[in-house]
Amino acid sequence: MTDRASLLAEAVERRISAQEPLGLTPAQMAAEHEQRQRFRRLIDPGILRPNPEAQAVESLKILFKLSENLIQEPENPKFQRFKTTNAQIQKHIISPKGTVEYLRELGFHPEVVDFQPFFVFNPKFLSDLKIGNAMLKESLDLQDEKKARAMVVKQTVQQARAEVVQKVQLAFMEDRRAKMEADERERELREARAAIAARKAAQQSESTESGNDVVAEDDDGAEEHTNVVGSAPPPYDDDQ
């Protein structure tokens, strides 16, 4: 049992080793780097700058799908060629600027097959296809990151605006509440002043009425006194 497990482990190791790519020489690494840079330039400024952003991104997605299908199934005939008259190909590959140049760099070339125009992939460009595919993914990831950052900025701006609006509304409500309180205090003060004035008027009215009664009694007494003084003196007694 142990020997059988060892043999299986060795077989797995041999299979993994056979799948590992060989190390690149410095010249190959330099050539690959140059090819990467070339694909990057074909994307930006080649495709991204002369086309509307939405169109450019959609074209990159189509190019990525065409190359990804071939990388996943390089022997599948339906991925090795496509008609140039296809509506999606016309819209996203033929019409936009820079996309046909990128397609050629991936290894696709125009051919006529049975009197039909095609773009046909040349298998000897498989390594270039893989590099171009990686650059497309890199660019699409950057576009997604850019869109995500823009969304965060937009949400931040919207949040800031909402906070400003909320502060303005709160300030308005606070001013309105303060004004209502001030109006209420002013009303209470007016009522208090009116009550005080009413009490003073009532007290003054009572004092005036009491004074009139005293004056009337005094007048009656004076009249009686006048009558006494004005009366005729008593007659003298002759005997005296």
Side-chain angles (χ1 to χ4, degrees):
M1 181 67 66
T2 302
D3 293 340
R4 184 177 179 182
S6 299
L7 291 173
L8 288 174
E10 290 176 1
V12 171
E13 289 180 0
R14 286 195 300 272
R15 191 181 302 113
I16 293 173
S17 299
Q19 293 175 353
E20 292 179 353
L22 297 176
L24 298 177
T25 65
Q28 290 173 327
M29 292 177 62
E32 183 175 319
H33 174 74
E34 178 58 31
Q35 185 68 339
R36 286 176 178 272
Q37 293 299 101
R38 176 171 174 77
F39 275 119
R40 286 192 180 103
R41 289 191 296 270
L42 287 171
I43 294 174
D44 188 8
I47 297 174
L48 290 176
R49 295 191 187 181
N51 300 297
E53 182 178 359
Q55 175 63 76
V57 171
E58 194 62 30
S59 294
L60 294 179
K61 290 180 179 179
I62 297 296
L63 288 168
F64 178 78
K65 183 176 179 62
L66 291 172
S67 57
E68 184 70 12
N69 287 339
L70 263 175
I71 291 172
Q72 296 298 325
E73 300 181 53
E75 303 300 327
N76 192 332
K78 72 176 183 178
F79 295 144
Q80 292 176 356
R81 69 180 188 179
F82 55 85
K83 288 184 178 181
T84 62
T85 54
N86 178 277
Q88 291 298 313
I89 295 300
Q90 282 286 329
K91 181 177 180 180
H92 299 298
I93 300 298
I94 305 299
S95 297
K97 297 179 181 179
T99 48
V100 171
E101 288 79 357
Y102 199 95
L103 191 67
R104 287 175 176 272
E105 199 67 23
L106 288 173
F108 287 90
H109 299 279
E111 290 186 14
V112 176
V113 180
D114 296 331
F115 304 102
Q116 295 290 329
F118 283 87
F119 269 107
V120 180
F121 178 69
N122 189 334
K124 72 177 183 180
F125 290 99
L126 183 60
S127 60
D128 292 332
L129 180 81
K130 291 179 179 179
I131 295 173
N133 174 269
M135 296 303 96
L136 287 167
K137 186 176 187 307
E138 176 186 89
S139 180
L140 289 171
D141 289 344
L142 288 174
Q143 293 299 317
D144 289 341
E145 184 180 347
K146 176 182 175 183
K147 185 182 296 184
R149 286 199 304 269
M151 184 64 67
V152 170
V153 171
K154 183 178 180 180
Q155 290 175 349
T156 303
V157 171
Q158 290 177 341
Q159 183 178 357
R161 288 176 178 172
E163 290 176 356
V164 170
V165 171
Q166 184 179 16
K167 287 180 180 179
V168 171
Q169 290 175 344
L170 290 175
F172 173 77
M173 294 176 64
E174 180 63 21
D175 290 343
R176 186 175 181 182
R177 183 188 63 80
K179 186 177 184 306
M180 291 175 65
E181 290 180 354
D183 291 344
E184 181 65 19
R185 289 194 297 269
E186 183 66 23
R187 184 186 64 79
E188 292 175 352
L189 182 59
R190 287 196 304 269
E191 291 178 353
R193 288 174 179 172
I196 292 172
R199 284 198 300 270
K200 287 183 178 181
Q203 291 173 356
Q204 186 175 3
S205 176
E206 291 176 0
S207 299
T208 302
E209 290 177 359
S210 298
N212 290 337
D213 292 342
V214 172
V215 171
E217 291 177 358
D218 290 345
D219 290 344
D220 293 341
E223 185 177 352
E224 292 176 0
H225 178 70
T226 301
N227 292 336
V228 172
V229 173
S231 62
Y236 290 101
D237 189 357
D238 294 338
D239 294 338
Q240 293 179 354

